[in-house]
Amino acid sequence: MEINKNVEDDGVIFMSIKEGKNSEIAAAEDGDVTILAIESSCDETAAAVVRNGREVLSNIISSQIALHTIYGGVVPEIASRKHVEKMNGCIRAALSEANLTLEDIDAIAVTYGPGLVGALLVGVSEAKAISFATGKPLIGVHHIEGHISANFIENKDLEPPFVCLVVSGGHSHLVVVKDYGEYEIIGQTRDDAAGEAFDKVARAIGLGYPGGPKIDKAAKEGNPDAFTFPQAQIPDAEYDFSFSGLKSSVLNYINQAKMQGQELDQADVAASFQKAVVEVLVSHAIKACKEYGYDKLAIAGGVASNSGLRELMEKECARENIKFYRPSPVLCTDNAAMIGAAAYYEYKKGVRFGLDMNAVPNLPLGDRERRFHGRQ
Ligand code: KG4
Ligand code: ZN
């Protein structure tokens, strides 16, 4: 995976991610489905061209993280404005890197939920405008279904059914992927999402935003056994998660240390906190595979790029003879290639959205109801 980065004048980072060289892109064959995908649900403006759900011809991400860092978190209004400014450039770059024009595209896909409403609306409006202007079909994609589908890009052999642990800034779900686009949620968080807990604890120990990657880095220097933080088990819901008790316990420790004038060892707290989160995630996911009888386990979402999670999951999967799948870190966090991967399987099923498509900030996973509005 080759990543070319360029910091623009306004601090936004423009990235072009390539699996192979452009010259290696084979010519399209009859029956190939080429999708232009758009993602703008949070603070990344992204566009990608994906062929047949698994071959990424281009993958452009314009990341606003540096802009939001000043405020300690994502400011929705700034995110929407930057999406408006960057969207056309990302799409142009995605088409140009794939050596294609809009004429070569079979469908336009876009994340329509869940996410920040103002941010989602930029991508949805753009996709609808392109669909209207070109007459090409429009496909709305659930952001989390996109994260799950990121696994199809580099793991050409992966096919459902399998278990997927989805851990992002807004979601912590344990899902059985029964078929393409068919999901059974077997566990979810009762309170904070895993990524949210990483972000809040990072802020509390002074590492700042974005918390996940900073804790991941600090944890490498720390002792994971320095503190024993609680790992919640929910009675009668063995696959559900709860991270608020763990977060409170870390915050209590920090307050006590401050009151007693002790110096806080950021790395030790980060490593012990990360260990507590990761052990719960791994043990639930492995238990689900064994009890539901699946021998394939995938991970998805921003937290899936965590090195501690990847390491422990790999070790436990090897021990239990479960095949472990994970996207490269840059495909775990928000991108449009994963949206193009998910959209392909919807396209094959005949799913088409009308121009009445709207952004749905709290769209539930596996929701089918809104999909057949308008133009088919
Ligand atoms: O999937 P994502 O990019 O956006 C959402 O859909 O939410 O996930 C963002 C979340 C943030 O909470 C971020 O702190 C977390 O993923 N994250 C990580 C790491 N990289 C990103 N958490 C732990 N370790 C990481 N290396
Ligand atoms: Zn995401």
Side-chain angles (χ1 to χ4, degrees):
M1 192 81 55
E2 187 190 308
I3 306 174
N4 289 308
K5 273 191 194 181
N6 180 34
V7 183
E8 299 183 347
D9 292 346
D10 54 2
V12 168
I13 301 170
F14 179 91
M15 282 181 275
S16 162
I17 297 126
K18 291 200 175 117
E19 244 186 299
K21 292 200 174 67
N22 267 14
S23 55
E24 289 166 5
I25 298 176
E29 289 178 14
D30 278 356
D32 277 353
V33 177
T34 308
I35 293 182
L36 169 67
I38 297 171
E39 154 68 39
S40 69
S41 65
C42 192
D43 58 349
E44 259 97 27
T45 322
V49 177
V50 181
R51 194 192 277 162
N52 301 330
R54 306 219 179 206
E55 194 190 349
V56 178
L57 305 190
S58 62
N59 188 11
I60 305 293
I61 303 175
S62 174
S63 170
Q64 309 170 3
I65 284 185
L67 305 190
H68 300 282
T69 301
I70 314 163
Y71 304 95
V74 178
V75 183
E77 177 70 3
I78 295 176
S80 312
R81 279 164 190 266
K82 279 291 158 196
H83 286 317
V84 172
E85 284 174 32
K86 304 290 173 181
M87 185 58 82
N88 282 337
C90 285
I91 291 174
R92 267 191 221 110
L95 286 169
S96 127
E97 293 214 351
N99 287 324
L100 299 178
T101 67
L102 278 175
E103 271 177 35
D104 307 307
I105 298 295
D106 295 300
I108 322 294
V110 64
T111 304
Y112 74 112
L116 300 169
V117 68
L120 288 165
L121 275 170
V122 178
V124 166
S125 311
E126 179 86 21
K128 289 205 292 193
I130 298 175
S131 169
F132 179 68
T134 58
K136 311 264 176 182
L138 179 65
I139 302 169
V141 175
H142 189 291
H143 182 72
I144 296 301
E145 297 187 16
H147 273 303
I148 294 171
S149 304
N151 281 285
F152 297 136
I153 295 171
E154 292 156 295
N155 302 301
K156 312 289 182 207
D157 62 320
L158 175 62
E159 292 196 30
F162 58 91
V163 170
C164 188
L165 172 73
V166 188
V167 272
S168 71
H171 292 79
S172 298
H173 279 87
L174 203 45
V175 176
V176 176
V177 182
K178 296 182 145 181
D179 202 345
Y180 293 108
E182 274 183 41
Y183 309 94
E184 183 189 347
I185 300 170
I186 58 172
Q188 53 193 305
T189 183
R190 296 293 180 101
D191 37 61
D192 291 350
E196 206 178 338
F198 268 96
D199 293 336
K200 287 177 179 168
V201 165
R203 196 173 304 146
I205 58 177
L207 287 171
Y209 170 86
K214 291 200 167 154
I215 291 208
D216 194 350
K217 195 166 168 222
K220 292 198 171 92
E221 312 296 322
N223 172 10
D225 300 313
F227 310 101
T228 308
F229 293 127
Q231 300 184 9
Q233 296 292 338
I234 318 273
D236 305 325
E238 55 185 339
Y239 300 116
D240 277 1
F241 304 103
S242 166
F243 298 109
S244 74
L246 165 60
K247 180 192 67 192
S248 302
S249 172
V250 177
L251 298 186
N252 284 344
Y253 165 74
I254 296 169
N255 286 338
Q256 265 176 10
K258 272 188 194 153
M259 280 192 305
Q260 290 163 4
Q262 290 169 6
E263 205 174 311
L264 189 72
D265 190 321
Q266 278 183 332
D268 280 355
V269 178
S272 305
F273 162 77
Q274 180 170 292
K275 179 183 173 190
V277 176
V278 163
E279 284 187 351
V280 168
L281 296 175
V282 172
S283 68
H284 280 37
I286 299 277
K287 197 199 283 176
C289 281
K290 283 164 70 178
E291 288 187 11
Y292 281 77
Y294 292 105
D295 62 359
K296 290 184 275 186
L297 174 59
I299 55 174
V303 182
S305 61
N306 182 268
S307 53
L309 175 63
R310 295 166 85 88
E311 243 168 63
L312 187 63
M313 198 67 105
E314 182 156 24
K315 198 169 119 200
E316 293 303 306
C317 282
R319 203 213 317 254
E320 299 291 346
N321 273 328
I322 296 169
K323 187 141 192 231
F324 176 42
Y325 296 89
R326 68 283 204 195
S328 290
V330 74
L331 292 178
C332 289
T333 45
D334 291 348
N335 64 87
M338 67 184 195
I339 303 303
Y344 169 73
Y345 296 100
E346 299 291 288
Y347 179 91
K348 295 287 274 183
K349 284 185 198 164
V351 172
R352 305 288 185 266
F353 277 60
L355 293 175
D356 59 348
M357 177 205 277
N358 204 353
V360 185
N362 57 356
L363 184 69
L365 183 66
D367 182 48
R368 305 269 146 232
E369 282 166 28
R370 293 184 182 84
R371 297 193 168 190
F372 294 95
H373 282 214
R375 181 150 54 96
Q376 296 269 318

